[in-house]
Amino acid sequence: MKLNPGQNDAVHYVSGPCLVLAGAGSGKTRVIINKIAYLVQKCGYQARNIAAVTFTNKAAREMKERVAQSMGRKEARGLWISTFHTLGLEIIKREYKVVGLKPGFSLFDDQDTLALLKELTEKEFDGDKDLLRMLMTAISNWKGDLMTPDRAIKSARDEQSQLFALLYQRYAQHMKAYNALDFDDLILLPTLLLRHKQEVRERWQKRIQYLLVDEYQDTNTSQYELVKLLVGERARFTVVGDDDQSIYSWRGAKPQNLVLLGQDFPALKLIKLEQNYRSSQRILRAANILIANNPHVYDKSLFSELAYGEPLRVLIAANEEQEAERVVAEMIRHKFVGKTQFGDYAILYRGNHQSRLLERALMTNRIPYKLSGGTSFFGRAEIKDIMAYLRLVVNPDDDNAFLRVVNLPKRGIGPATLERLGNFANELHISMFEAIFKPELNDHLPPAAMSALYQFGKFIVDTGEAATRGEPVEAVKQLIRHINYEDYLYETSTSAKAAEMRMKNISELYRWVTEMLEGDELDEGMTLPEVVTRLTLRDMMERNSEDEAGDQVQLMTLHASKGLEFPYVFMVGVEERILPHQTSIDEDNVEEERRLAYVGITRAQRELWFMICRERRQFGEVIRCEPSRFLMELPQDDLIWENRKPPQSEQQRVQSGRANIANIRDMLKK
């Protein structure tokens, strides 16, 4: 498939900074893949001096595969394709001394952070979950805006901000003592490091001579700053983004970063990709007319050379139970008439709570489905257990991992023992693991507890040594066997079948670890500490994106659907107070919700249905619903509202009757 003129310009412009404004389905990944090949094959760049960053591991993996196919694995060797956070991690790993870390630092995920904050705020919050979540968000936003604890304290205006800033400082001190980093540190630390240390900045600018950034509209302040510091004065970079698909402001994303680029790099070349290869013309016309209601710095209008396509349909249900039944009935009818697959359909909604009734209706009708955003692989208890063991083996100072597994399976090390051990470790400013081996601990604990702790400590040290000696695969295998984890699963699971399933997950994790330790022709093998860090990072990035599976209807939120496409899409609950969400109406921020509706509409390739209810139950009372303003903003001549149907002509009735009879005959033959 050859490049269209816009794609061609974007690939061949390499002499300065470049912004590619790429509409939904306009082939932006093809541009990035082709540009990398062009830089290496025609412009004399070495693959190892090119970096491409994106936002999810899945996108990075797909990009890697496609580059390897287009250039050949040999030529692509050394090319850096990763998420922002993996790039940040790589910088920290190479520069850990300058950052002030000890080697073998730990990565904390959300749950680790929450557990630590809960511990640190016992006096102030008394375990109040809402306050803890608010504090976590505040810390994350401060880090996203490059605010250190000192600056946060200085800029705090009201009482709550002052308290949160002091707790941020307390959290940062503990993380330093644990030699640990959280997810936001992976961008914050490299950015501050490159900003303040000229020799480090020059080293990385020399290493990355051309930078490509995908999904640029999702960058926050610190990610944008990191990009600027990496490209420096030479400004050899291409960023690809779409301001109409910026739907992550709640995560700190700033679509205005697209505008800032033009100010920071006056020589910026703007290239628009407006041809969409995904959707029918009618779907695109509706999407364009909807999004034109938002203010734009850069105007663009998507067009398609595909057929005009089917009208968009608005179906009306009495309430949310009937809504779920209507979606499923319409899907079964459509599948029967069109001889389609279940995997061709997606049901999109604004909030996760909307999936429950849809799941029930699909199950009742025995329709296979996949719920994106359910418990991810790494969210399962058994995986977190084994990962905590591995984290402890590679970094015995990881107190969180230590606390999770020191008495799992039970070894007679109870909470009282751990409290004394914790206090003792804090007095000496060492980790709990290191404290086990201090002779003075004998004065604080009874002999049985001392013995149990010592046995556990020795086992972890021995496993670590075996892994370092060059037998990491064997060491991991022995670890799982030695702790009798399988017996523990059979004792604690609800049934033997459940235990078996959980053991299968452990085997899958073991297979991953083994593959990463041994490597393949594209990547050489890693050490165990590298594997553990990479898997912890993958867990954080992929909470909501397990690999797609077979012929199943896809259920997901509008946020999770970004970047995907489906032949047939149902958008449910397209009503005021749901989409746009009540909060956005209250805060007068309906523009982002309109972008979310735009993302939903542009997922559909061939046909699109909107579902609305007359009433819904909310907090125990029945509420009258009204259709979303977004439905009113769509071109009405492209919509068919269920209760405003034009009468069918005799010829249309005969045709649809014949099609149904032909399908029944086909089925009977089979």
Side-chain angles (χ1 to χ4, degrees), residues 15-88:
S15 56
C18 179
L19 164 60
V20 180
L21 209 59
S26 61
K28 66 187 173 67
T29 311
R30 285 186 64 221
V31 165
I32 294 173
I33 306 300
N34 280 286
K35 188 150 198 171
I36 291 170
Y38 179 69
L39 288 166
V40 173
Q41 293 162 347
K42 297 280 190 291
C43 305
Y45 279 86
Q46 299 288 322
R48 67 171 179 276
N49 295 134
I50 300 171
V53 286
T54 183
F55 275 82
T56 65
N57 278 313
K58 187 164 166 261
R61 267 204 312 273
E62 280 172 11
M63 211 182 276
K64 255 186 189 163
E65 271 312 303
R66 285 174 63 176
V67 168
Q69 281 164 11
S70 95
M71 290 169 61
R73 290 184 187 277
K74 202 168 169 194
E75 232 178 345
R77 212 185 167 102
L79 177 72
W80 183 267
I81 298 180
S82 76
T83 61
F84 263 107
H85 291 87
T86 310
L87 175 64

Coordinates of all heavy atoms in Angstrom, one line a residue, residues 15-88:
S15 N 14.7 17.4 8.2 CA 15.7 18.4 8.5 C 15.4 19.3 9.7 O 16.2 20.1 10.1 CB 15.9 19.3 7.3 OG 14.7 19.8 6.9
G16 N 14.2 19.1 10.3 CA 13.9 20.0 11.5 C 12.7 19.4 12.3 O 12.3 18.3 12.0
P17 N 12.2 20.2 13.3 CA 11.1 19.7 14.1 C 9.8 19.5 13.2 O 9.6 20.3 12.4 CB 11.0 20.7 15.1 CG 11.5 22.0 14.6 CD 12.6 21.5 13.6
C18 N 9.1 18.4 13.5 CA 7.9 18.1 12.7 C 6.7 17.7 13.6 O 6.9 16.8 14.4 CB 8.3 17.0 11.7 SG 7.0 16.5 10.6
L19 N 5.6 18.3 13.4 CA 4.4 17.9 14.0 C 3.4 17.3 13.0 O 3.0 17.9 12.0 CB 3.7 19.1 14.7 CG 2.2 18.9 15.2 CD1 2.1 17.7 16.2 CD2 1.7 20.2 15.8
V20 N 3.1 16.0 13.2 CA 2.1 15.3 12.3 C 0.8 15.3 13.0 O 0.7 14.6 14.0 CB 2.6 13.9 11.9 CG1 1.6 13.2 11.0 CG2 4.0 14.0 11.3
L21 N -0.2 16.0 12.5 CA -1.5 16.0 13.1 C -2.3 14.9 12.4 O -2.7 15.1 11.3 CB -2.1 17.4 12.9 CG -3.2 17.9 13.9 CD1 -2.5 18.0 15.3 CD2 -3.7 19.2 13.5
A22 N -2.4 13.8 13.1 CA -3.0 12.6 12.5 C -4.4 12.3 13.0 O -4.5 11.9 14.2 CB -2.0 11.4 12.8
G23 N -5.4 12.4 12.2 CA -6.7 12.1 12.5 C -6.9 10.6 12.8 O -6.0 9.8 12.5
A24 N -8.0 10.2 13.4 CA -8.3 8.8 13.7 C -8.2 8.0 12.5 O -8.8 8.3 11.4 CB -9.7 8.7 14.4
G25 N -7.5 6.8 12.6 CA -7.5 5.9 11.4 C -6.8 6.4 10.2 O -7.0 5.9 9.1
S26 N -5.8 7.4 10.4 CA -5.2 7.9 9.2 C -3.8 7.3 8.9 O -3.1 7.8 8.1 CB -5.0 9.5 9.4 OG -4.2 9.8 10.5
G27 N -3.5 6.2 9.6 CA -2.3 5.5 9.3 C -1.0 6.1 9.9 O 0.1 6.1 9.3
K28 N -1.1 6.6 11.1 CA 0.0 7.3 11.7 C 1.2 6.3 12.0 O 2.3 6.7 11.9 CB -0.4 8.1 13.0 CG -0.9 7.2 14.1 CD -1.4 8.1 15.2 CE -2.0 7.2 16.3 NZ -1.1 6.4 17.1
T29 N 0.8 5.1 12.4 CA 1.9 4.1 12.8 C 2.7 3.8 11.5 O 3.9 3.7 11.6 CB 1.3 2.8 13.4 OG1 0.3 3.2 14.4 CG2 2.3 2.0 14.0
R30 N 2.0 3.7 10.4 CA 2.7 3.5 9.1 C 3.7 4.6 8.8 O 4.8 4.4 8.4 CB 1.7 3.5 7.9 CG 0.9 2.2 7.8 CD 0.1 2.2 6.6 NE 0.9 2.1 5.4 CZ 0.7 2.8 4.3 NH1 -0.4 3.6 4.2 NH2 1.5 2.8 3.2
V31 N 3.4 5.8 9.2 CA 4.3 7.0 9.0 C 5.5 6.8 9.9 O 6.7 6.9 9.4 CB 3.6 8.3 9.3 CG1 4.6 9.4 9.5 CG2 2.6 8.7 8.3
I32 N 5.3 6.4 11.2 CA 6.4 6.2 12.1 C 7.4 5.1 11.6 O 8.6 5.3 11.5 CB 5.9 6.0 13.5 CG1 5.2 7.2 14.0 CG2 7.1 5.6 14.5 CD1 4.5 7.1 15.4
I33 N 6.7 4.0 11.2 CA 7.5 2.8 10.7 C 8.3 3.2 9.5 O 9.5 2.9 9.4 CB 6.6 1.6 10.4 CG1 5.6 1.2 11.5 CG2 7.4 0.4 9.9 CD1 6.2 0.8 12.7
N34 N 7.7 3.8 8.5 CA 8.4 4.2 7.3 C 9.4 5.2 7.5 O 10.5 5.2 6.9 CB 7.4 4.7 6.2 CG 6.6 3.6 5.5 OD1 7.2 2.9 4.7 ND2 5.4 3.3 5.9
K35 N 9.2 6.1 8.5 CA 10.2 7.2 8.7 C 11.4 6.6 9.4 O 12.5 7.0 9.0 CB 9.6 8.2 9.7 CG 10.4 9.5 9.8 CD 9.7 10.7 10.1 CE 10.4 12.0 9.8 NZ 9.7 13.2 9.9
I36 N 11.2 5.6 10.3 CA 12.4 5.0 10.9 C 13.3 4.3 9.8 O 14.5 4.5 9.7 CB 12.0 4.0 12.0 CG1 11.4 4.7 13.2 CG2 13.1 3.1 12.4 CD1 10.7 3.8 14.2
A37 N 12.6 3.6 8.9 CA 13.3 2.9 7.8 C 14.0 3.9 6.9 O 15.2 3.7 6.5 CB 12.3 2.1 7.0
Y38 N 13.3 5.0 6.6 CA 13.9 6.1 5.8 C 15.2 6.7 6.4 O 16.2 6.9 5.8 CB 12.9 7.2 5.5 CG 13.3 8.3 4.6 CD1 13.6 8.1 3.3 CD2 13.5 9.6 5.2 CE1 14.1 9.2 2.5 CE2 13.9 10.7 4.4 CZ 14.2 10.5 3.1 OH 14.7 11.5 2.3
L39 N 15.1 7.0 7.7 CA 16.2 7.5 8.5 C 17.5 6.6 8.4 O 18.6 7.1 8.2 CB 15.9 7.8 9.9 CG 14.9 8.9 10.2 CD1 14.3 8.8 11.7 CD2 15.6 10.3 10.0
V40 N 17.2 5.3 8.5 CA 18.3 4.3 8.6 C 18.8 4.1 7.2 O 20.0 4.1 6.9 CB 17.9 3.0 9.3 CG1 19.0 2.0 9.1 CG2 17.6 3.3 10.7
Q41 N 17.9 3.8 6.2 CA 18.3 3.4 4.9 C 18.8 4.5 4.0 O 19.6 4.3 3.1 CB 17.2 2.6 4.2 CG 16.9 1.3 5.0 CD 15.6 0.6 4.7 OE1 14.7 1.3 4.1 NE2 15.4 -0.6 5.1
K42 N 18.2 5.7 4.2 CA 18.5 6.8 3.2 C 19.2 8.0 3.8 O 19.8 8.9 3.1 CB 17.2 7.3 2.6 CG 16.5 6.3 1.7 CD 17.1 6.1 0.4 CE 16.3 5.3 -0.6 NZ 16.2 3.8 -0.2
C43 N 19.1 8.2 5.2 CA 19.7 9.4 5.8 C 20.9 9.2 6.6 O 21.4 10.1 7.3 CB 18.6 10.1 6.6 SG 17.1 10.4 5.8
G44 N 21.4 7.9 6.6 CA 22.7 7.6 7.3 C 22.6 7.6 8.8 O 23.6 7.6 9.5
Y45 N 21.4 7.5 9.4 CA 21.3 7.3 10.8 C 21.6 5.9 11.2 O 21.2 4.9 10.5 CB 19.9 7.7 11.3 CG 19.7 9.2 11.5 CD1 19.3 10.0 10.4 CD2 19.8 9.8 12.7 CE1 19.0 11.3 10.6 CE2 19.6 11.1 12.9 CZ 19.2 11.9 11.8 OH 19.0 13.3 12.0
Q46 N 22.2 5.7 12.3 CA 22.4 4.3 12.9 C 21.1 4.0 13.7 O 20.6 4.8 14.4 CB 23.5 4.2 13.9 CG 24.9 4.6 13.3 CD 25.4 3.5 12.4 OE1 25.2 2.3 12.7 NE2 26.0 3.9 11.3
A47 N 20.6 2.7 13.6 CA 19.4 2.4 14.3 C 19.5 2.7 15.8 O 18.6 3.1 16.4 CB 19.1 0.9 14.1
R48 N 20.7 2.5 16.3 CA 20.9 2.6 17.8 C 20.8 4.1 18.2 O 20.7 4.4 19.4 CB 22.2 2.0 18.3 CG 23.4 2.7 17.8 CD 24.7 2.2 18.5 NE 25.9 2.9 17.9 CZ 26.5 2.6 16.8 NH1 26.1 1.5 16.1 NH2 27.5 3.2 16.4
N49 N 20.8 5.1 17.3 CA 20.7 6.5 17.6 C 19.3 7.0 17.4 O 19.1 8.2 17.4 CB 21.7 7.3 16.8 CG 23.1 7.0 17.2 OD1 24.0 6.8 16.3 ND2 23.4 6.9 18.4
I50 N 18.3 6.1 17.1 CA 16.9 6.5 16.9 C 16.1 6.0 18.1 O 16.2 4.8 18.4 CB 16.4 6.0 15.6 CG1 17.2 6.6 14.4 CG2 14.9 6.3 15.4 CD1 16.9 5.9 13.1
A51 N 15.2 6.8 18.6 CA 14.3 6.3 19.7 C 12.9 6.7 19.3 O 12.6 7.8 18.8 CB 14.6 6.9 21.0
A52 N 11.9 5.7 19.5 CA 10.5 6.0 19.3 C 9.8 5.7 20.6 O 10.0 4.6 21.2 CB 10.0 5.1 18.2
V53 N 9.0 6.7 21.1 CA 8.3 6.4 22.4 C 6.8 6.6 22.2 O 6.3 7.4 21.4 CB 8.8 7.4 23.5 CG1 10.1 7.0 24.0 CG2 8.7 8.8 23.1
T54 N 6.1 5.7 22.9 CA 4.6 5.8 22.9 C 4.1 5.5 24.3 O 4.9 5.6 25.3 CB 4.1 4.7 21.9 OG1 2.7 4.9 21.8 CG2 4.5 3.3 22.2
F55 N 2.8 5.3 24.4 CA 2.2 5.3 25.8 C 1.9 3.9 26.4 O 1.8 3.7 27.6 CB 1.0 6.1 25.9 CG 1.3 7.6 26.1 CD1 1.7 8.4 25.0 CD2 1.4 8.1 27.3 CE1 2.1 9.7 25.2 CE2 1.8 9.4 27.6 CZ 2.2 10.2 26.5
T56 N 1.8 2.8 25.5 CA 1.5 1.5 26.1 C 2.5 0.5 25.6 O 3.0 0.6 24.5 CB 0.0 1.1 25.7 OG1 0.0 0.9 24.3 CG2 -1.0 2.1 26.1
N57 N 2.7 -0.5 26.4 CA 3.6 -1.6 26.0 C 3.0 -2.3 24.7 O 3.8 -2.7 23.9 CB 3.6 -2.7 27.1 CG 4.6 -2.2 28.2 OD1 5.7 -1.8 27.8 ND2 4.2 -2.3 29.4
K58 N 1.7 -2.4 24.6 CA 1.1 -3.0 23.5 C 1.5 -2.3 22.2 O 1.9 -2.9 21.2 CB -0.4 -3.1 23.7 CG -1.2 -3.9 22.6 CD -2.6 -4.1 23.1 CE -3.4 -4.6 22.0 NZ -4.2 -3.6 21.4
A59 N 1.3 -0.9 22.2 CA 1.7 -0.1 21.1 C 3.2 -0.3 20.7 O 3.6 -0.4 19.6 CB 1.3 1.3 21.3
A60 N 4.0 -0.3 21.8 CA 5.5 -0.4 21.6 C 5.8 -1.8 21.0 O 6.6 -1.9 20.0 CB 6.2 -0.2 22.9
R61 N 5.1 -2.8 21.5 CA 5.4 -4.2 20.9 C 5.0 -4.3 19.5 O 5.7 -4.8 18.6 CB 4.6 -5.2 21.7 CG 5.3 -5.8 22.9 CD 4.7 -7.2 23.2 NE 3.3 -7.2 23.4 CZ 2.6 -6.9 24.5 NH1 3.3 -6.5 25.5 NH2 1.3 -6.9 24.5
E62 N 3.8 -3.7 19.1 CA 3.3 -3.8 17.7 C 4.3 -3.0 16.8 O 4.6 -3.4 15.7 CB 1.9 -3.2 17.6 CG 0.9 -4.1 18.0 CD -0.5 -3.5 18.1 OE1 -0.7 -2.3 17.6 OE2 -1.4 -4.1 18.6
M63 N 4.8 -1.9 17.3 CA 5.7 -1.0 16.5 C 7.0 -1.8 16.2 O 7.5 -1.8 15.1 CB 5.9 0.3 17.2 CG 6.2 1.4 16.3 SD 6.5 3.0 17.2 CE 4.9 3.5 17.6
K64 N 7.5 -2.4 17.3 CA 8.7 -3.2 17.2 C 8.6 -4.3 16.1 O 9.5 -4.5 15.2 CB 9.0 -3.9 18.5 CG 10.2 -3.3 19.3 CD 10.5 -4.1 20.5 CE 11.5 -3.4 21.4 NZ 11.5 -3.9 22.7
E65 N 7.5 -5.0 16.2 CA 7.2 -6.1 15.2 C 7.2 -5.5 13.8 O 7.8 -6.1 12.9 CB 5.9 -6.8 15.5 CG 6.0 -7.9 16.5 CD 7.1 -8.9 16.1 OE1 7.1 -9.4 15.0 OE2 8.0 -9.1 17.0
R66 N 6.4 -4.4 13.6 CA 6.2 -3.9 12.3 C 7.5 -3.3 11.7 O 7.8 -3.4 10.5 CB 5.1 -2.9 12.3 CG 3.7 -3.5 12.3 CD 2.6 -2.6 12.5 NE 2.5 -1.7 11.3 CZ 1.5 -0.8 11.2 NH1 0.6 -0.7 12.1 NH2 1.4 0.0 10.1
V67 N 8.4 -2.7 12.6 CA 9.7 -2.2 12.1 C 10.5 -3.4 11.7 O 11.2 -3.4 10.6 CB 10.4 -1.4 13.2 CG1 11.8 -1.1 12.9 CG2 9.7 -0.1 13.4
A68 N 10.5 -4.5 12.5 CA 11.3 -5.6 12.1 C 10.9 -6.2 10.8 O 11.7 -6.7 10.0 CB 11.2 -6.7 13.3
Q69 N 9.6 -6.2 10.6 CA 9.1 -6.8 9.3 C 9.5 -5.9 8.1 O 9.8 -6.3 7.0 CB 7.5 -6.9 9.3 CG 7.0 -8.1 10.0 CD 5.5 -8.0 10.4 OE1 4.8 -7.1 9.9 NE2 5.1 -8.9 11.2
S70 N 9.4 -4.5 8.3 CA 9.6 -3.6 7.2 C 11.1 -3.5 6.9 O 11.5 -3.4 5.7 CB 9.0 -2.3 7.4 OG 9.9 -1.4 8.0
M71 N 12.0 -3.5 7.9 CA 13.4 -3.3 7.7 C 14.2 -4.6 7.7 O 15.4 -4.6 7.3 CB 14.0 -2.3 8.7 CG 13.5 -0.9 8.6 SD 14.0 0.0 10.1 CE 15.8 -0.1 10.1
G72 N 13.7 -5.6 8.4 CA 14.5 -6.8 8.6 C 15.1 -6.6 10.0 O 15.5 -5.5 10.4
R73 N 15.1 -7.7 10.8 CA 15.5 -7.7 12.2 C 17.0 -7.2 12.3 O 17.3 -6.5 13.3 CB 15.4 -9.1 12.8 CG 13.9 -9.5 13.0 CD 13.8 -10.8 13.7 NE 12.4 -11.2 13.7 CZ 11.4 -10.7 14.6 NH1 11.8 -9.9 15.5 NH2 10.2 -11.1 14.5
K74 N 17.8 -7.6 11.3 CA 19.2 -7.2 11.5 C 19.4 -5.7 11.5 O 20.1 -5.1 12.3 CB 20.0 -7.9 10.3 CG 21.5 -8.1 10.6 CD 22.1 -9.0 9.6 CE 23.6 -8.9 9.8 NZ 24.3 -9.5 8.6
E75 N 18.8 -5.1 10.5 CA 18.9 -3.6 10.3 C 18.3 -2.8 11.5 O 18.7 -1.8 11.8 CB 18.3 -3.2 9.0 CG 19.2 -2.3 8.2 CD 18.6 -1.9 6.8 OE1 17.6 -2.5 6.4 OE2 19.2 -1.1 6.2
A76 N 17.2 -3.4 12.1 CA 16.5 -2.8 13.2 C 17.2 -3.0 14.5 O 16.8 -2.4 15.5 CB 15.1 -3.3 13.2
R77 N 18.2 -3.8 14.5 CA 18.9 -4.1 15.8 C 19.4 -2.8 16.5 O 20.1 -2.0 15.9 CB 20.0 -5.1 15.6 CG 20.1 -6.0 16.8 CD 21.3 -6.9 16.7 NE 21.5 -7.5 18.0 CZ 21.1 -8.7 18.4 NH1 20.5 -9.5 17.5 NH2 21.3 -9.1 19.6
G78 N 19.2 -2.7 17.8 CA 19.7 -1.5 18.5 C 18.7 -0.3 18.6 O 18.9 0.6 19.3
L79 N 17.7 -0.4 17.7 CA 16.7 0.7 17.7 C 15.9 0.7 19.0 O 15.6 -0.4 19.6 CB 15.7 0.4 16.5 CG 14.5 1.3 16.3 CD1 15.0 2.6 15.8 CD2 13.5 0.6 15.4
W80 N 15.7 1.9 19.6 CA 15.0 2.0 20.9 C 13.5 2.3 20.7 O 13.2 3.4 20.2 CB 15.7 3.0 21.7 CG 15.0 3.1 23.1 CD1 14.0 3.8 23.5 CD2 15.4 2.2 24.2 NE1 13.6 3.6 24.8 CE2 14.5 2.6 25.3 CE3 16.3 1.2 24.4 CZ2 14.5 2.0 26.5 CZ3 16.3 0.6 25.7 CH2 15.5 1.0 26.7
I81 N 12.6 1.3 20.9 CA 11.2 1.5 20.8 C 10.6 1.1 22.2 O 10.7 0.0 22.6 CB 10.5 0.7 19.7 CG1 11.1 1.1 18.4 CG2 9.0 0.9 19.7 CD1 10.5 0.3 17.2
S82 N 10.0 2.1 22.9 CA 9.5 1.7 24.2 C 8.4 2.8 24.6 O 8.1 3.7 23.9 CB 10.6 1.8 25.2 OG 10.9 3.1 25.5
T83 N 7.9 2.5 25.8 CA 7.0 3.5 26.4 C 7.9 4.6 27.0 O 9.1 4.4 27.2 CB 6.2 2.9 27.6 OG1 7.1 2.5 28.6 CG2 5.3 1.8 27.1
F84 N 7.3 5.8 27.3 CA 8.0 6.9 28.0 C 8.6 6.3 29.3 O 9.7 6.7 29.7 CB 7.0 8.0 28.4 CG 6.9 9.1 27.4 CD1 5.8 9.3 26.6 CD2 8.0 10.0 27.4 CE1 5.8 10.3 25.7 CE2 7.9 11.1 26.5 CZ 6.8 11.2 25.6
H85 N 7.8 5.5 30.1 CA 8.3 5.1 31.4 C 9.5 4.1 31.3 O 10.4 4.2 32.1 CB 7.2 4.5 32.2 CG 6.1 5.5 32.6 ND1 5.1 5.8 31.7 CD2 6.0 6.3 33.6 CE1 4.4 6.8 32.3 NE2 4.9 7.1 33.5
T86 N 9.5 3.3 30.2 CA 10.6 2.4 30.0 C 11.9 3.2 29.7 O 13.0 2.9 30.1 CB 10.3 1.3 29.0 OG1 9.1 0.7 29.3 CG2 11.3 0.2 28.9
L87 N 11.7 4.2 28.8 CA 12.8 5.1 28.5 C 13.4 5.7 29.7 O 14.6 5.8 30.0 CB 12.4 6.1 27.4 CG 13.5 7.2 27.1 CD1 14.7 6.5 26.4 CD2 12.9 8.2 26.2
G88 N 12.5 6.3 30.6 CA 12.9 6.9 31.8 C 13.7 6.0 32.7 O 14.7 6.3 33.3

